[in-house]
Amino acid sequence: MLSGLETLCVLQIVRENPVACRKCFLHSEVPAITAETLRDLFFVAYSERGSNKRAKEEVTAAFWYDYLLDIEEGTVQSTLADVLAFSSGTTSIPITTFSELPTINFSHNDEKFPTANTCSVVLRLPTSHSDYIKFKEAMDFGILNSQSFGTA
């Protein structure tokens, strides 16, 4: 009869791959989330190159990267953990990363605020802002006013 880590061959896998399994079993400090970490975490799903939509998306993506840097510098109200919670439902990146590829999509309607699907880890950024200040204010408002997600 199998028991404990022998179930599902976990013990064998740990013995064969001790370095890879180390962070699953040993405590380590969770590295701080940085603007670069979040920027690199998300795949940006752009429209076709050369299209009008793509041009707006590139401007919005530049606003997004600037927004992340402003958060890191402390010049906005949101935190990087707030952004991650808004888009994924968690305030830290899981050890094994997300089961779905975190993705940025763009809203091409008149929406002013970001939206997210936390199950699929999809963040939708509004392309309706033509200036960074309005984009930043809308992002902060959308993210900070979603704190009741998952509570009754």
Side-chain angles (χ1 to χ4, degrees):
M1 172 186 252
L2 298 176
S3 64
L5 291 178
E6 292 175 336
T7 307
L8 300 174
C9 300
V10 173
L11 183 59
Q12 178 184 346
I13 292 168
V14 170
R15 285 184 175 151
E16 292 172 1
N17 305 287
V19 175
C21 295
R22 182 179 199 91
K23 61 182 170 179
C24 293
F25 293 98
L26 297 175
H27 172 75
S28 64
E29 293 299 318
V30 176
I33 301 171
T34 64
E36 184 177 7
T37 304
L38 280 187
R39 185 196 69 209
D40 294 344
L41 178 68
F42 285 88
F43 167 77
V44 181
Y46 289 109
S47 295
E48 185 177 337
R49 193 175 298 274
S51 67
N52 290 339
K53 283 184 176 183
R54 176 67 178 252
K56 281 186 154 189
E57 291 167 357
E58 288 175 351
V59 169
T60 301
F63 288 169
W64 164 248
Y65 299 145
D66 288 345
Y67 179 67
L68 293 177
L69 291 172
D70 281 353
I71 292 173
E72 194 169 69
E73 292 171 3
T75 60
V76 295
Q77 293 179 342
S78 295
T79 66
L80 294 169
D82 291 335
V83 172
L84 189 59
F86 178 81
S87 55
S88 70
T90 182
T91 57
S92 62
I93 299 170
I95 291 173
T96 58
T97 198
F98 294 98
S99 58
E100 302 277 334
L101 176 65
T103 303
I104 289 179
N105 288 337
F106 298 93
S107 298
H108 286 282
N109 50 26
D110 291 335
E111 285 202 32
K112 302 289 182 205
F113 304 105
T115 58
N117 180 328
T118 57
C119 296
S120 319
V121 193
V122 174
L123 175 61
R124 283 178 293 284
L125 301 177
T127 59
S128 59
H129 301 286
S130 57
D131 95 15
Y132 174 66
I133 300 299
K134 290 182 180 173
F135 175 85
K136 179 171 61 170
E137 289 170 354
M139 290 297 292
D140 260 1
F141 184 85
I143 290 167
L144 294 173
N145 285 290
S146 67
Q147 299 303 311
S148 63
F149 175 80
T151 61

